[in-house]
Amino acid sequence: MKTIQPEIELANLLTPLDWGVFLFILLLTYLCVLWGNQLKTKQDNKGDYTNWLEILLMGRRLTLPLFTATLVATWYGGIFGVTEIAFNQGIFNFVTQGFFWYVSYIIFALWMVDKIEPFKALTLPDLITKMFGPKSGFLSSIFNFFNVLPIAYIISIGLLLQMLLPVPFWLSMAIGLILILAYSIFGGFRAVVYSDIVQFVVMCSAVALIIIFSMSTFGGIGFLKTKLPDSYFTLTGTNSWASTLVWGFIALSTLVDPNFYQRCFAAKNTQTAKKGILCSTVIWILFDLCTTFGAMYAKAVIPDASSANAYLTYGVQILPPGLRGFLLAGIVATILSTMDSYLFLAGSTLSFDMLPKRFRQNTKLYKWGIIFSGLFTWLLALTFDGKIKTVWKTLGSYSAACLLLPVCLGHLFPGKIKDKQFVFASVLGIIGTSYWRNTDHQGFFANVDDLYAGIFCTLFGLIFYHIFSPNDAKS
């Protein structure tokens, strides 16, 4: 049976063939960006709306194959995060990072797509402005900006490059950032979409290869059950149902996720968006099964490996030369495909949603927005000290607690929530989430997550404002 080591020198394990495959796929990604820009329809310069429509949404010409490829690729940048959870908890990862999210995707496809289409918005804050008012739109743009900063993903690329290069963590993250900026500041949303085509194919193929070689080498589920604790095959792992269900609420933040909205806004029509999300969900299920069981194989074979990079350590050893480079490219593609989308969204949020409208005439500002967002992300990533799960939990909690309820209620009861009411409730949600996160609680309240506290405060704010400001809230 093949010997797998818990610790390796990754650079020493890769052959010239691996490096050749890896560099070829990286080059192919850049060529696809150039190809996409060559296909770009020349826009007439009569007005900033036309220019922004092309930059932000590719002129609303996203077809079903492109929609599916870019949505799938964008959504899975935190591969080191999910595989670390699976390595430590098993099936719990599939429940919290998979099943809960599938429910949210289906809700978005079957309910949300039809709700947002009539607004003809360009961004999520633009949509919220049209639904509630300018103050709500500006506040949501602040949430949007911090929610799409790719902190977890720059940490991921930093961890990977640190295994390849003898450099400190801060420098490995900086190198990864430069790789992204080299193409994401050119071509707008189109550059993101066409780079996602290559990244989609490579990332899905790479995780499938690990499962195929694992099963052929060690066997199927029976092997895992003999090597792993029973908790690895339960829905909650070693966690309580209360802490498990927190991830269900975080998954509902998909309903206010700017990446989903951007792709739906860019789709040719609502049917393309609906079918694209449902097709993507099927692919995500298969992808999650591969990463979850791949990490469980890693735990079964090399239980003493570092959980942060055990999946990669295991994967490059289970695969033969050549395919190791393909796997490495697949993991890089998984991370980069999310980083470029998030950086683009952060940059466009700064330049389109947060700056005064008079600056929108200069569409080139989004490039400076991307550069600033990248540098800011790098600085914030240093403060999280490589803890990807903490990043997701922190940013996801604020987004779900403060935006989810007002937006969903706004769709259910059009015109009932007014501008100031939205702002009041969301700010109360920020205060509640922050207070609960930074204070100690005893007894029953010790098990109440800050996300629940934030949602309660937001709901209280909506009701309180409605009751005590009837003229403003009901007009």
Side-chain angles (χ1 to χ4, degrees):
M1 188 174 287
K2 193 166 188 176
T3 302
I4 308 291
Q5 301 295 328
E7 294 183 11
I8 58 169
E9 290 291 336
L10 182 57
N12 295 334
L13 191 65
L14 299 176
T15 65
L17 178 60
D18 293 317
W19 282 110
V21 170
F22 173 75
L23 294 175
F24 171 75
I25 293 173
L26 192 63
L27 176 62
L28 192 60
T29 300
Y30 282 87
L31 290 176
C32 274
V33 173
L34 295 175
W35 176 54
N37 286 329
Q38 287 296 318
L39 297 177
K40 179 177 178 180
T41 303
K42 290 185 178 178
Q43 297 294 314
D44 135 18
N45 291 322
K46 295 180 179 177
D48 54 332
Y49 181 84
T50 302
N51 290 334
W52 279 113
L53 183 64
E54 176 64 27
I55 292 169
L56 297 178
L57 302 178
M58 220 173 86
R60 300 195 200 276
R61 293 188 296 272
L62 207 57
T63 59
L64 181 60
L66 290 178
F67 182 101
T68 303
T70 185
L71 189 61
V72 170
T74 296
W75 208 239
Y76 272 94
I79 189 167
F80 284 119
V82 296
T83 54
E84 181 176 10
I85 296 172
F87 184 85
N88 292 322
Q89 299 283 341
I91 297 298
F92 171 78
N93 174 72
F94 185 79
V95 175
T96 59
Q97 309 304 316
F99 176 76
F100 289 145
W101 299 84
Y102 311 145
V103 174
S104 299
Y105 306 151
I106 293 171
I107 293 173
F108 200 109
L110 301 184
W111 179 57
M112 194 69 83
V113 170
D114 285 329
K115 295 289 185 182
I116 65 178
E117 195 277 335
F119 291 96
K120 301 299 180 185
L122 296 183
T123 64
L124 176 56
D126 185 34
L127 171 69
I128 291 176
T129 297
K130 292 177 178 179
M131 287 179 64
F132 304 105
K135 295 183 179 66
S136 302
F138 182 75
L139 179 63
S140 68
S141 70
I142 297 174
F143 277 114
N144 196 66
F145 175 71
F146 282 97
N147 193 35
V148 298
L149 288 175
I151 302 170
Y153 312 111
I154 197 172
I155 290 173
S156 296
I157 197 67
L159 290 171
L160 177 59
L161 291 178
Q162 198 175 32
M163 295 179 69
L164 291 170
L165 305 171
V167 296
F169 185 55
W170 67 268
L171 183 55
S172 64
M173 289 195 297
I175 293 171
L177 176 62
I178 291 170
L179 285 174
I180 288 292
L181 291 177
Y183 71 84
S184 59
I185 60 174
F186 302 105
F189 183 54
R190 183 180 299 275
V192 172
V193 169
Y194 280 88
S195 65
D196 283 346
I197 296 173
V198 176
Q199 292 162 343
F200 164 75
V201 174
V202 176
M203 63 185 266
C204 291
S205 303
V207 297
L209 284 171
I210 289 183
I211 292 298
I212 293 170
F213 277 84
S214 295
M215 294 183 70
S216 64
T217 303
F218 299 109
I221 298 295
F223 169 77
L224 294 177
K225 286 191 172 182
T226 62
K227 295 289 186 179
L228 299 175
D230 291 340
S231 63
Y232 273 65
F233 300 92
T234 63
L235 298 180
T236 60
T238 58
N239 303 273
S240 67
W241 272 107
S243 61
T244 300
L245 290 174
V246 168
W247 286 102
F249 284 98
I250 292 177
L252 285 174
S253 65
T254 300
L255 302 182
V256 286
D257 183 85
N259 279 294
F260 262 72
Y261 281 89
Q262 183 187 33
R263 279 145 184 81
C264 289
F265 293 152
K268 292 178 66 175
N269 50 53
T270 57
Q271 288 305 308
T272 297
K274 288 180 180 179
K275 291 177 181 178
I277 294 173
L278 295 176
C279 289
S280 299
T281 301
V282 174
I283 297 170
W284 285 324
I285 292 172
L286 297 174
F287 192 93
D288 283 329
L289 287 171
C290 288
T291 53
T292 298
F293 282 103
M296 289 171 68
Y297 271 105
K299 180 67 175 181
V301 177
I302 47 173
D304 298 326
S306 168
S307 61
N309 51 34
Y311 182 77
L312 177 60
T313 300
Y314 170 78
V316 294
Q317 293 182 82
I318 198 70
L319 296 178
L323 289 183
R324 291 172 183 169
F326 188 82
L327 171 64
L328 189 63
I331 291 178
V332 170
T334 307
I335 300 168
L336 296 190
S337 60
T338 304
M339 267 189 75
D340 59 14
S341 293
Y342 274 61
L343 275 181
F344 176 74
L345 272 173
S348 59
T349 298
L350 277 177
S351 54
F352 182 80
D353 295 305
M354 297 178 72
L355 289 179
K357 288 186 178 181
R358 64 180 182 274
F359 290 104
R360 290 185 184 177
Q361 294 181 359
N362 186 0
T363 55
K364 294 181 180 180
L365 282 176
Y366 85 91
K367 297 181 180 180
W368 291 105
I370 291 173
I371 294 172
F372 174 82
S373 300
L375 294 174
F376 191 46
T377 298
W378 177 75
L379 291 173
L380 288 179
L382 294 174
T383 68
F384 278 96
D385 196 29
K387 298 176 182 176
I388 296 174
K389 185 178 176 182
T390 303
V391 176
W392 287 341
K393 183 66 174 56
T394 302
L395 299 182
S397 292
Y398 278 105
S399 180
C402 304
L403 286 184
L404 178 61
L405 203 57
V407 170
C408 289
L409 290 176
H411 286 303
L412 285 171
F413 307 104
K416 297 298 183 182
I417 298 176
K418 301 304 179 184
D419 200 13
K420 292 180 181 179
Q421 185 181 10
F422 183 103
V423 173
F424 177 77
S426 296
V427 170
L428 205 60
I430 296 172
I431 295 171
T433 304
S434 301
Y435 170 78
W436 206 264
R437 178 183 295 276
N438 294 293
T439 53
D440 294 325
H441 308 282
Q442 304 297 323
F444 168 79
F445 293 104
N447 296 317
V448 176
D449 193 84
D450 54 90
L451 173 64
Y452 297 137
I455 290 176
F456 173 80
C457 289
T458 302
L459 178 61
F460 175 79
L462 290 171
I463 296 172
F464 181 88
Y465 197 95
H466 181 77
I467 294 173
F468 292 99
S469 300
N471 293 331
D472 183 50
K474 296 179 182 178
S475 60

